[in-house]
Amino acid sequence: MGFLICIIIKYGLFKSEFMVKKLNIAFVWHFHQPSYQENMQGDFLMPWVRLHATKDYLDMLLRLEDFKNIKLNFNISPVLVDSIEKYARGIKDIHLKLLLCDIKDLDKDDKLFILENFFDVNYSNMLLSRPYYSQLNEKRIHCDTKTSLIDSFTDQDYADIMANFTLCWIDKRFKNKYDGLDYLLEKEKDFTLQDRQKIYEIQLKIIKDILPTYKKFQDEGRIEISTNPYYHPILPLLINLRESVYPYEENLPKAILSGIKDAKEQVQRALDKFEKIFAKRPRGIWLSEQCVSRKTMNLLSYFGVDWTVLDEGILSASIGKDFARDFEGNLEDPFALCVNYAFKKDKNRTNIVFADSLFANLVGFGYGSYDGEVAANDLYEKIKTVQNKLQNSPKENHLLTIAMDGENCWESYQNDGEEFLSTLYRLIEQDETLSTVLISDFIDKSQPEDLPKIASGSWINRNFELWVGEPTKNVAWNYLNRTKEDFEKISKEFLSKAKTNIEKAGANKTIHEAKEEIFIAEGSDWFWWYGEPNESGSDIIFDYLFRERLRNVYRIFSKDIPEYLNIPLISMVGKPIRQAVGHISPIINGKNDEIFDEWENAGYIFLPDSPTFSKIKSIKGIYYGCDSENLYFKFEVNRQTVSKTNHFIKNQIHIYITTPSQSVLSPLRVISRTNNIYPSAKNGFSHEVMFAFNKNDLLPPVLSIAVQGGLWKMLLMKHDEYAYKDVIELKISYKDLGLEENTPVEFCVVSATGEIMNEIYPQDVLLTLNNIQ
């Protein structure tokens, strides 16, 4: 019998697991948050480092205690490490200070802040998991005005809101690890000041445990820790902004002053910081947002960096190969993606591993609403599919890289992803043909393939358009550049005035402090949130922090702050560049009259164009005005977009109107694409005027009025006029709106596709027409 089994195995008649070529898997979990401080000593304006520290950073690591054969790679940004250290030293954020204060000391502004900010949690998996907290949220939603909203809650309600919010962000894995947490998690109401202080004490213990625990697991060989450029800048844009984003050169800001010098220092300091913290110099660097260029790779080689992780789209563009996938998303040929590379022109041969984007997208955006075990089994099967397709490869060692954000996605998972990750790690650990590896261990044993060239780009669309090219983003880059130019001039002035060694030391200290502010302003996050298409729900704060860091440069040097840095940058796009100054009564003919401008006294919103986003804008400018009887609107049509389709559903404009006298208001009828809602969209409205158009025709406008229950009722428009030739012009009568003549109105304009919002103008406040004579 033994002889027969040997023959069967020898000739492949029996499928033994030992005949399957082993597949190595590199999980790379990336952690990053920007600096939320106004200055190096101040409190944090947003609480996200503290909250993610208690929900993600430590528990993502401690799961390894249950899986002795699983190895993981963690990427942590130095600016995040700085913030963790500052919290550990006792620096607080605004949310935390309110949590710890006596509720009797709360004023109306504090209470309004609590109601507006202490429900910022995932609705399904965090808020609904605490029933009383959910009841308080329902009560908040159904209040009519800010005054009645504040007065509807007792002091104890405010204490309970803050306590429940904070507890939502503590992973349940810790409830038996930290004394008192189990009791607090079970409690839902009547939180005392001592309870809230205890919550913070537990948070502080978790935060203080993070960095020592990572070092412990690193020293045991269970994890590898890599870093980023210090303040998370986009290195290709720092090194050579215009070269990196060719061919849109004519729309770009100037090349960044001393960019290559700053890029080098941000990398050098990151490596030094992590060697100091973890007693081991990182061998890998995760380029911020996986943004790469040829000169960026040369910079990594200059510092002797052994490896970096990039997205599969960069490999595709570099080798001219499209990665075809089947209807389930599986690669038809995964070989090229499952080997390590070295850029051929790179003398020091920094290795590059390319991440399979399917896995990152599934974990980050696809699996959150699924049962955790079902999702984990699905991912495991996809891993096995890759493995099966590599069986005929001439190479023995292959690496499937799953690299992604390791903190933000878990809010959409039940129980913070516990079932998903535990099931996935267990399936891999029990499969002897799969092995999780540290990236450095893999590249030490593997000969890299030559990469003839490296394409420039990021993990999104293989380009840099999420950080530069859009008008507001470009203005931010120019602000940074102008501040750097002033920094260089003032630094030379300071040094020239320093005569003694003591004075020179003082001057250098001041210059160093000012330069630190510039380094922070070079971070990727500011440019990510500016302009289109991203919206954080806190864009005003991000804008303030960016400009504040630039203003700090001048404060440190005791110089006057340029006036332009005091103006919110986000107000430059989508807000009027001129206000209505008098009555208008234009002829509605859809024509641009070059001889006599009937819209001269109208307000005007300019919607800047750019190669990046022109393809999604249906309008380029909005004129608005009134006389005693009518409201008037003129829309400049973006022909480049509209000419591409005959479908009216593609180009819808909704004008939402409200007046102080209206008691019945309804929400926007259009649907937001994301959970982040612009402030303007949170208002209630009394009227909606909607029209749709294509490249040649305009459908008749439709008027609706708000009715009870947040609904809308269609009305007949008897006095309206509209026309579309060069532009779209529209007259809306006060009579049709059921309003008295000269009634002041507030409004916003929404561009939509199939009643799904594309843009809203303005984003933060409604516009007012006061019937100026």
Side-chain angles (χ1 to χ4, degrees), residues 58 61-62 65 208-218 223:
L58 187 57
L61 177 64
L62 293 180
E65 292 178 338
K208 289 182 176 181
D209 282 345
I210 291 172
L211 298 180
T213 308
Y214 271 87
K215 184 179 184 303
K216 172 179 177 290
F217 275 72
Q218 171 200 259
I223 66 170

Side-chain angles (χ1 to χ4, degrees), residues 86-104:
K86 289 175 180 179
Y87 271 111
R89 292 199 300 268
I91 292 181
K92 296 177 175 62
D93 55 65
I94 294 173
H95 290 64
L96 180 55
K97 284 192 166 184
L98 286 171
L99 176 74
L100 297 177
C101 77
D102 191 321
I103 53 177
K104 295 178 182 178

Side-chain angles (χ1 to χ4, degrees), residues 442-573:
F442 179 83
I443 66 171
D444 284 345
K445 300 174 182 177
S446 178
Q447 179 65 32
E449 300 284 320
D450 280 335
L451 193 63
K453 69 172 186 176
I454 187 75
S456 295
S458 72
W459 70 278
I460 302 178
N461 301 326
R462 309 179 190 180
N463 57 43
F464 304 103
E465 292 175 352
L466 272 294
W467 300 274
V468 72
E470 193 272 347
T472 315
K473 299 177 192 293
N474 287 350
V475 174
W477 282 106
N478 283 326
Y479 281 11
L480 172 63
N481 230 359
R482 290 169 68 177
T483 304
K484 292 188 73 170
E485 289 171 352
D486 289 344
F487 167 82
E488 295 291 340
K489 293 176 185 176
I490 299 170
S491 295
K492 290 177 182 178
E493 174 190 324
F494 261 57
L495 288 173
S496 67
K497 291 181 178 179
K499 304 303 180 184
T500 67
N501 288 338
I502 293 176
E503 289 175 345
K504 289 178 182 178
N508 283 319
K509 181 176 182 293
T510 301
I511 291 169
H512 174 79
E513 290 175 0
K515 188 60 181 288
E516 200 74 14
E517 301 291 333
I518 287 176
F519 282 146
I520 293 171
E522 289 174 344
S524 66
D525 300 84
W526 323 117
F527 306 99
W528 171 273
W529 293 121
Y530 271 132
E532 300 176 31
N534 299 317
E535 203 279 321
S536 67
S538 303
D539 285 4
I540 293 173
I541 298 177
F542 278 103
D543 169 57
Y544 170 78
L545 285 171
F546 173 75
R547 291 182 295 106
E548 186 69 2
R549 288 302 190 171
L550 295 181
R551 288 195 291 254
N552 285 344
V553 174
Y554 297 92
R555 291 190 183 106
I556 290 168
F557 284 125
S558 298
K559 298 290 184 179
D560 292 337
I561 297 171
E563 184 56 35
Y564 66 86
L565 288 179
N566 294 323
I567 301 171
L569 207 160
I570 59 172
S571 68
M572 300 187 63
V573 177

Side-chain angles (χ1 to χ4, degrees), residues 103-114:
I103 53 177
K104 295 178 182 178
D105 296 332
L106 296 174
D107 59 26
K108 288 190 174 182
D109 289 337
D110 294 331
K111 292 177 179 179
L112 184 60
F113 182 89
I114 291 168

Side-chain angles (χ1 to χ4, degrees), residues 49 91 244 487 636 664:
V49 170
I91 292 181
S244 296
F487 167 82
E636 296 175 319
V664 179

